[in-house]
Amino acid sequence: MKIQEHAYVAIDYSLSLDSGEVVDHSEPGEPLGFVIGFGQIVSGLEQKLKGMEQGQSAKITVEMEEGYGERQQDLYREIPREYFPGDARIEADMVFQVNGPQGVARFRVDSVTDKMVVADFNHPLAGERLHFQVTVQQVREARPEDMQQCGPQGCGSCSGECGSH
């Protein structure tokens, strides 16, 4: 069976950036499983996997527009330093997690002053070209339980289409 819309796919993968730095990979014997067409992986990778079959390997490059998009200035927020614990050590590039109206959000500290923390809510891979080395381990018809997996943004990343828990 070839990879097509609504097929369940399991891949071994390695993800690197233009610099060559490997930023993510599947563990041996634990391929990443997802259903094509439900937003569980970045759209550029999903589209380029279509037509592949079990056992095939490929190097796939996903441009930022088809990955996590460009970095957006409107996703930078100034947060008063007083909102953080007084004894907390806060430095640039630290990552924090907050509970908000749409659930859990993560941000990277862009800069810090005595009074303000500039938080960057962009996805960590926004603005990056993504280089995947993939091997298709399995392709089959999707089952209802396959729709309950989490996507690249965590559970619920598919806006409820995948029946996330």
Side-chain angles (χ1 to χ4, degrees):
M1 174 177 183
K2 289 184 185 273
I3 296 175
Q4 60 190 348
E5 202 73 10
H6 302 132
Y8 173 83
V9 178
I11 61 171
D12 285 329
Y13 74 96
S14 177
L15 168 58
S16 60
L17 305 178
D18 284 346
S19 66
E21 175 190 6
V22 175
V23 295
D24 196 13
H25 61 87
S26 57
E27 294 297 327
E30 296 180 24
L32 173 67
F34 52 91
V35 178
I36 296 288
F38 284 88
Q40 295 173 313
I41 62 170
V42 294
S43 64
L45 177 59
E46 188 173 83
Q47 292 305 313
K48 291 180 180 183
L49 287 170
K50 287 182 179 177
M52 292 181 68
E53 298 180 88
Q54 185 170 327
Q56 279 189 293
S57 295
K59 289 182 181 180
I60 297 173
T61 297
V62 175
E63 297 298 328
M64 76 175 104
E65 298 81 14
E66 298 173 317
Y68 293 99
E70 294 187 37
R71 298 194 73 68
Q72 298 176 40
Q73 279 305 122
D74 63 339
L75 293 178
Y76 286 81
R77 301 277 192 279
E78 289 188 341
I79 302 172
R81 177 65 176 85
E82 65 197 47
Y83 285 23
F84 294 83
D87 60 346
R89 180 181 63 90
I90 303 172
E91 297 176 358
D93 293 326
M94 292 178 86
V95 177
F96 287 87
Q97 181 172 298
V98 294
N99 290 319
Q102 282 87 30
V104 176
R106 291 177 181 81
F107 66 87
R108 181 189 63 81
V109 174
D110 184 67
S111 60
V112 182
T113 67
D114 289 341
K115 300 204 183 290
M116 207 61 69
V117 174
V118 177
D120 175 4
F121 284 91
N122 281 286
H123 187 281
L125 297 176
E128 299 283 354
R129 180 181 299 120
L130 309 174
H131 302 277
F132 292 91
Q133 174 65 51
V134 301
T135 300
V136 179
Q137 296 298 329
Q138 184 179 26
V139 182
R140 62 170 167 73
E141 288 186 30
R143 301 177 189 135
E145 61 268 22
D146 297 328
M147 307 295 183
Q148 297 180 10
Q149 298 187 24
C150 295
Q153 303 298 321
C155 290
S157 66
C158 55
S159 304
E161 291 178 57
C162 64
S164 59
H165 38 259

